[in-house]
Each structure stands twice: as structure tokens, then as C-alpha cells.
Amino acid sequence: MILKNFKELSEYLKVPRNIVIIGHRNPDGDALGSTLGLKHYFDKKGHKTQVLMPNEYPDFLHWIPGSKTVYRFDRQNNQCVKALSKSDIIFLLDFNALHRVGDDMKNTLEKYENDFALIDHHQQPDDFTYMYSDTSMSSTCQMVYNFIEMFDDLDLIDEDTATCLYTGIMTDTGSFRFRSTTSRTHRIIADLIDKGAKNDRIHSNIYDSNSHSRLLLLGQALTNLKIYPEYKTAFITLSQNEKDENNYEKGDTEGVVNYALSLKGIIFAVIFIEDREQGIVKISFRSKGTFSVNKFARSHFNGGGHDNAAGGKSNLSLDDTVANFISLLPNYKQELLASYEE
Ligand code: 5GP
Ligand code: MN
């Protein structure tokens, strides 16, 4: 755990400030929940707070309290630049290095001499003026709860804040089942319910919002599933054509990789998703036990993340990316077979 210049930060925030809070590119439940949860808290403390996101987020996250106030850097560039120019301090949530907001936004952010404050649970964070980094945390939302507790302000968590933080903890822990879920996570969740988070409604808003075409896309993904039992590995591919045929919308492939990981005996699961617009194949890696997909993604696919959940990309074609991936597996045979399975 790194806690850098926290005392200075708490002094700095004793008077009202103009604060900008930023989440990562392709924001997920934790990115949106943590940035908006922190915003609700800061607003209550008398600060002026604006949340910026690099690009769009899936429909199933649009109901989150405060989401309508978010400016998107790719669409509302002027508003974003104005907010940044006015800001006293910039908070970076749920990512560990500036490039995770994308090149355009990174180049803009680098022009500002503001102090940056990081709150994040990813490995190997870059250095910023103020830091709260802890890779053992289930989610950045859990860290925002801790952060509010460090200010002795838990009683300022209202229903909106509780709803935001509950959402990110739920999505980043796979509904409280990943290894990162501790008794402390459950205690925080219990407190957030006491403070007004409607757990059944939040779950339903996130997980019961499938379109028919999303289920058909899932059907295609499962049809494409390939299993390599000798490496305890399974992977899924989705080509751009398959996405187009099933009216793909952002967020439709979220969680699909977990079906590959749900196979008995499989400890390494991957999904390769062709993105013609960006000219890349976007890859999600998941593992069980000691096999680190963070290391694997960093070493071979220009990515990173956590030990058991990471992402990356490839500039090769979908077929060549998959062929490259398969050619790497023999090098990891021992590690894969040694990783425990549940
Ligand atoms: P997902 O597979 O759900 O997109 O991402 C899983 C985890 O890996 C997340 O914590 C995410 O922040 C991280 N991640 C995803 N894609 C990338 C990437 O391209 N680079 C890095 N460094 N991390 C990524
Ligand atoms: Mn997260």
C-alpha cells in the first residue's frame, strides 16, 4: 500500500477547491462508481467537482447517480478543457498511468501543472504528487470508501454516494466472489446498504439489462469457444463481422470471458475481440490461482491489469493474434498446470 502526502492533501482540501476527477478509457462500473461516488462526497464538503471520462460507457451504467453530469473528452472537448483549466487539483481514479486515458486526453493532461492525486488498485502505478494505491483492494470504490473514512466523514455518505460505491465494488468483485473480496469488503457493503444503496435494484440495473442481440452475440461467442485442456486454457474470439451481424453495442462483450473461465479444469481464459475502427484486437485475460495474467499481458500484449484480470491489445489480424497466443502457451505450461483450480 502506498499513501503519499495524505496529510498535505487533507490540509489542501480544507478549503473549497475546484476539483476534476477522471476515470480510465472505456470506463467500467468501478471507474464510474468511484469517480461519481467521490464527486458526491466532495460536493457535500463544499468543493466544486467535475467528472471527466475519455470516452463512452455502456448503456447499463447510465442510471448511476450523477452520470448525466459527466463530460466526455471525445465529445465535449471544450467543456473538458474548460473544467481542466479552472481546476485546482486533478484526481485520477481506477487507473495507474496516464496513457490509460488514451493518447489525446493524455497529451492534454500533460499540459497542466496541477497536482495529480491518484486513488487506484492496479499494479505498478506511476508516481504522482498525492497517492493512495493498494493492489490488495477489491475495487477503487472500496478505496474511495476508505478515503472518506480517513477524513472521518463516513456519515456524509448519502444514498447517491452509497449507490455509486456499491456498484463498483459489485462489478469489480464479480458480485462479491473474486479472491479480492474480504470480510472488510462485506462490512463496507453492509454499511453502504444501511446508508441507502438498494442492492437488489443495483444488481438488476447492471445484470438484467440484456438486449436480444446481446444474447445472440453471446451465443456466437460460446460457439467460437476453444479449449486447450493440456494448458488448462480456453479462449473465445469475436470478429468484427460477427459483432456487426449481432448489432454489437458497447458493453455487449463485458463479462463474456468469464464463461470460458467457468469451465471445469480451466484456469486461464481469454477473449479476443476484433475492433476494425481502431485497427486492433482487444484482449481480456482472466485466471484462477497463481498464474498472473498481468505479467502475461504486459509481456506479450502491450497491456496489464491485475494478477487474475488483465487486458491488452494486438495490432495483428484476429487470426494471427490467436496463432501468436497459441504459440506462447507451451512456454507457460508449467506455470499453468501449477496454478491451483477451484
Ligand atoms: P478488461 O479485460 O475487463 O477490459 O480489463 C481487466 C483489467 O485489466 C482492468 O483492471 C483493466 O484496467 C486492465 N486493462 C484492460 N485493458 C488494459 C490495457 O490495454 N492496458 C493495461 N495496462 N491494463 C488494461
Ligand atoms: Mn477497478
Side-chain angles (χ1 to χ4, degrees):
M1 202 261 269
I2 303 167
L3 192 61
K4 184 177 161 197
N5 292 332
F6 180 77
K7 244 195 200 140
E8 291 77 359
L9 181 62
S10 57
E11 280 301 316
Y12 188 74
L13 293 177
K14 274 200 172 129
V15 294
R17 300 285 183 187
N18 278 311
I19 300 176
V20 162
I21 308 177
I22 301 175
H24 56 80
R25 204 178 138 74
N26 299 326
D28 56 7
D30 194 30
L32 221 52
S34 60
T35 51
L36 287 170
L38 187 62
K39 173 196 161 53
H40 293 310
Y41 163 65
F42 278 155
D43 284 350
K44 270 209 160 162
K45 293 281 278 185
H47 302 296
K48 284 211 165 47
T49 319
Q50 179 62 50
V51 173
L52 312 184
M53 287 293 169
N55 65 339
E56 67 179 324
Y57 43 91
D59 273 351
F60 64 77
L61 293 174
H62 278 260
W63 61 273
I64 294 185
S67 91
K68 286 190 179 60
T69 68
V70 173
Y71 291 148
R72 268 177 54 183
F73 191 81
D74 61 345
R75 282 265 177 92
Q76 292 146 300
N77 197 272
N78 282 342
Q79 285 101 315
C80 290
V81 170
K82 225 181 251 171
L84 286 166
S85 307
K86 272 201 325 209
S87 67
D88 300 313
I89 182 165
I90 299 172
F91 275 73
L92 310 174
L93 265 63
D94 200 34
F95 63 97
N96 54 357
L98 277 190
H99 70 86
R100 297 279 290 126
V101 299
D103 289 344
D104 276 359
M105 194 167 181
K106 175 176 179 260
N107 291 338
T108 303
L109 287 178
E110 280 172 346
K111 291 190 195 127
Y112 291 90
E113 294 188 352
N114 295 35
D115 284 328
F116 288 96
L118 177 97
I119 304 179
D120 178 50
H121 66 140
H122 292 88
Q123 300 185 355
Q124 292 156 273
D126 282 354
D127 190 42
F128 297 100
T129 309
Y130 306 107
M131 293 179 71
Y132 173 31
S133 157
D134 189 344
T135 57
S136 74
M137 285 290 148
S138 71
S139 54
T140 303
C141 278
Q142 182 167 337
M143 300 179 71
V144 169
Y145 181 97
N146 291 346
F147 182 81
I148 296 173
E149 191 177 41
M150 288 181 223
F151 283 84
D152 212 7
D153 277 335
L154 287 183
D155 54 346
L156 289 186
I157 295 183
D158 59 10
E159 179 174 340
D160 281 351
T161 315
T163 302
C164 290
L165 299 185
Y166 186 103
T167 301
I169 297 176
M170 180 185 80
T171 54
D172 256 31
T173 57
S175 296
F176 321 112
R177 66 198 181 91
F178 297 157
R179 263 205 302 180
S180 57
T181 311
T182 61
S183 59
R184 162 89 179 157
T185 314
H186 281 287
R187 282 190 193 96
I188 290 172
I189 281 296
D191 191 38
L192 294 175
I193 293 173
D194 286 343
K195 289 181 159 59
K198 308 268 188 304
N199 45 317
D200 56 337
R201 226 179 283 167
I202 295 171
H203 198 276
S204 183
N205 283 344
I206 297 280
Y207 295 113
D208 302 336
S209 60
N210 283 324
S211 60
H212 185 205
S213 55
R214 185 180 185 196
L215 292 186
L216 293 174
L217 187 70
L218 172 62
Q220 181 65 61
L222 296 179
T223 305
N224 296 349
L225 175 72
K226 298 265 187 313
I227 306 172
Y228 284 72
E230 66 275 35
Y231 300 116
K232 295 189 174 183
T233 296
F235 67 83
I236 290 170
T237 55
L238 275 175
S239 68
Q240 185 67 49
N241 284 345
E242 288 166 336
K243 285 159 66 183
D244 293 345
E245 282 159 13
N246 292 288
N247 300 319
Y248 167 83
E249 284 189 41
K250 200 160 190 87
D252 279 356
T253 53
E254 202 81 22
V256 173
V257 64
N258 294 320
Y259 286 91
L261 198 63
S262 75
L263 284 160
K264 193 173 167 64
I266 294 303
I267 63 100
F268 185 25
V270 188
I271 186 166
F272 300 93
I273 303 170
E274 187 179 17
D275 183 335
R276 198 178 290 143
E277 199 182 307
Q278 288 194 68
I280 59 165
V281 176
K282 180 74 195 139
I283 313 169
S284 286
F285 301 95
R286 299 290 186 271
S287 69
K288 284 182 182 164
T290 50
F291 182 70
S292 170
V293 286
N294 171 48
K295 264 195 244 153
F296 189 88
R298 270 177 198 275
S299 308
H300 305 292
F301 292 98
N302 200 16
H306 312 281
D307 283 340
N308 295 122
K313 50 190 164 293
S314 154
N315 296 316
L316 303 175
S317 69
L318 182 59
D319 287 348
D320 288 348
T321 302
V322 170
N324 176 31
F325 171 74
I326 293 171
S327 76
L328 293 168
L329 288 176
N331 304 336
Y332 288 91
K333 188 163 187 170
Q334 263 176 351
E335 271 184 65
L336 287 164
L337 296 184
S339 193
Y340 79 83
E341 73 183 69
E342 284 171 314

